[in-house]
Every structure is written in C-alpha cells, then in structure tokens.
C-alpha cells in the first residue's frame, strides 16, 4: 500500500492559464474523490468516480473544471482559465466500495497559487 | 443541507491535559460520523468513526460517541501528548451518499 499520490505538490500559475493535476489512488480502490480546501476551512467535495464513471459533481465545480478517470485508475483534474479564487489545496482521496462508512484515504494534496 | 460545526480553534493545552473538541451536525437520516486528523506536512487520515447511534469510535487514546439525541460527536482524550498537535476535522456521510461533509477543522497545539 503506497498510499494516494498526487502530482505536483505545488503549482504556481498566472491568471488565465490552464492547469492539470494528477492523482494515483491506492491500487485496489475503485472510488476516487476530489476535494478543495482553502485556508482555515475543511475540505469541500468537488466530484467522485466509481471506477471510470463520474457519478457526482458539486455545484462548486464550474464549467472551467473537468475531471477524468479514463481507465478507472489514475485521475486528472483540469482547471481552465484559472482565476485567483481557484487558489487552494486540491485533495484527492480513494476508497473501497463498502457503503457510506468506508474511510477515505487522502493524498497530500496539490497546492495551487494563481497570481 | 448537511453540515458539520466544530468548536473554533486554535486550542492550546499542556501535555497530559484532558481534551474535548466539540462537533455537532445537521443531516437527514442516520449519517456515519468521522474524525480525521491532519498532522503537519501530512495528508488527512482517518482517526475514528461511528456508523450508528450510541456507537463509540476509538483509536490512539481518542474516543467519540455518536449521540443522536444531541446530534453530536465530540472528540475526547484523557491525556494529550505533544505528538497529538494537529488539525482535527469532524465529518459526516449520509447513507447512500459517497461524499464526506467536513467541519472547518480545529487546530490543536500541545505544549510540553
């Protein structure tokens, strides 16, 4: 169990640029989640996948955000035309499909700074 | 909608003190309740959980009891250590829903 891996750890970009983050979940986990965390707040749910299917998206996920999990393994989160308000820590988590009590295993996150 | 409210931090205690971090929730039905912890420089990790009323979750000397009547899941530890310094998040998930709803987090600092 190597844990959930996220890349990059930090990303600084200029407003208007596109950015893409990658998440590699724990290998046997079929559920994958993206959360966003701003300073002093708890993580906020963005979207989740069961295998390759994206089953739920938060209203926080504007049209500029898109997430994929093409083969049910790793996932990417892309933000187009970044805005300063997108600056946050983007967290990925994975879990086994065991019902709502399944614990989530989080990665260390990608910290995005939009200048 | 569902929500979780935690006591505001930061909380600063001396080693061996008793710890309580309050957590209350609003949700329909019978959610599962969780405490996650984030140590400095590390990702969030599950500390304990309870999936039904009156269940007690425990781990590493921490405990929390699922109180349906008061919609609470307070975190307690009898004697804290410097190594317990971290940010603690209370969270819930509703039956049939996969996402976690988190509180805002409570930063705990333990002084030797």
């Amino acid at each position: 169990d190597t844990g959930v891996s996220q890349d990059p750890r930090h990303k600084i970009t200029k407003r208007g640029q596109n950015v893409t983050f990658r998440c590699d979940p724990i290998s046997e986990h079929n559920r994958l989640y993206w959360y966003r965390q701003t300073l002093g707040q708890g993580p906020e749910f963005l979207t989740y996948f069961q295998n390759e299917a994206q089953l739920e998206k938060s209203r926080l996920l504007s049209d500029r955000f898109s997430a994929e999990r093409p083969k049910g393994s790793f996932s990417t989160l892309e933000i187009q035309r970044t805005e300063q308000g997108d600056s946050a820590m983007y967290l990925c988590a994975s879990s086994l499909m065991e019902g709502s009590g399944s614990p989530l295993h989080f990665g260390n996150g990608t910290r995005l700074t939009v200048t | 909608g569902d929500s979780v409210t935690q006591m505001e931090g930061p909380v600063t205690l001396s080693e061996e003190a008793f710890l309580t971090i309050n957590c209350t929730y609003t949700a329909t039905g019978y959610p599962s309740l969780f405490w996650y912890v984030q140590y400095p420089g590390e990702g969030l990790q599950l500390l304990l959980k309870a999936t039904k009323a009156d269940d007690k979750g425990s781990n590493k000397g921490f405990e929390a009891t699922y109180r349906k009547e008061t919609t609470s899941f307070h975190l307690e530890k009898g004697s804290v250590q410097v190594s317990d310094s971290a940010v603690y998040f209370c969270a819930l998930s509703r039956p049939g829903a996969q996402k976690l709803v988190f509180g805002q987090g409570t930063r705990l600092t333990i002084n030797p």
Side-chain angles (χ1 to χ4, degrees):
Chain A
D1 180 356
T2 56
V4 177
S5 175
Q6 292 188 246
D7 184 69
R9 290 294 302 273
H10 303 275
K11 178 70 177 178
I12 300 173
T13 191
K14 293 186 176 178
R15 188 162 52 95
Q17 298 296 303
N18 298 344
V19 294
T20 301
F21 311 139
R22 177 180 170 121
C23 171
D24 288 90
I26 294 171
S27 57
E28 63 268 26
H29 285 184
N30 48 14
R31 288 182 173 160
L32 186 148
Y33 307 76
W34 285 99
Y35 283 79
R36 181 172 66 188
Q37 186 178 17
T38 53
L39 201 61
Q41 299 299 315
E44 296 174 295
F45 171 79
L46 293 178
T47 188
Y48 102 94
F49 293 83
Q50 184 165 300
N51 300 313
E52 66 276 9
Q54 188 173 18
L55 296 186
E56 186 175 351
K57 293 198 296 186
S58 163
R59 285 170 292 178
L60 292 175
L61 215 63
S62 78
D63 291 345
R64 297 184 298 105
F65 287 69
S66 62
E68 294 182 345
R69 194 183 183 196
K71 296 181 180 177
S73 56
F74 73 92
S75 176
T76 57
L77 177 68
E78 181 184 17
I79 309 174
Q80 296 182 327
R81 305 181 303 281
T82 52
E83 302 173 356
Q84 287 187 320
D86 297 331
S87 295
M89 178 76 84
Y90 290 84
L91 301 173
C92 178
S94 67
S95 73
L96 284 170
M97 189 173 67
E98 292 176 344
S100 60
S102 305
L104 269 59
H105 297 257
F106 283 85
N108 286 350
T110 294
R111 182 170 296 283
L112 173 66
T113 302
V114 182
T115 61
Chain B
D2 300 339
S3 66
V4 175
T5 303
Q6 296 181 226
M7 72 187 270
E8 291 218 10
V11 174
T12 303
L13 296 172
S14 298
E15 208 166 18
E16 298 183 5
F18 183 85
L19 168 71
T20 300
I21 301 178
N22 289 340
C23 171
T24 57
Y25 68 90
T26 301
T28 52
Y30 295 86
S32 295
L33 301 174
F34 306 82
W35 278 99
Y36 279 79
V37 59
Q38 189 169 31
Y39 297 104
E42 298 184 17
L44 281 159
Q45 53 187 276
L46 178 68
L47 180 60
L48 53 85
K49 70 174 186 178
T51 57
K52 60 183 189 295
D54 299 325
D55 266 3
K56 178 185 283 188
S58 61
N59 186 25
K60 299 182 181 180
F62 290 88
E63 292 182 340
T65 301
Y66 188 142
R67 300 287 188 201
K68 181 70 177 171
E69 63 277 12
T70 55
T71 62
S72 65
F73 193 54
H74 304 322
L75 183 68
E76 297 182 334
K77 186 173 186 182
S79 177
V80 291
Q81 306 300 313
V82 172
S83 57
D84 294 326
S85 298
V87 182
Y88 292 81
F89 293 91
C90 186
L92 68 81
S93 67
R94 270 199 284 124
Q98 303 313 320
K99 65 182 182 185
L100 284 173
V101 175
F102 285 87
Q104 78 273 28
T106 303
R107 181 175 297 278
L108 173 67
T109 301
I110 307 299
N111 294 320

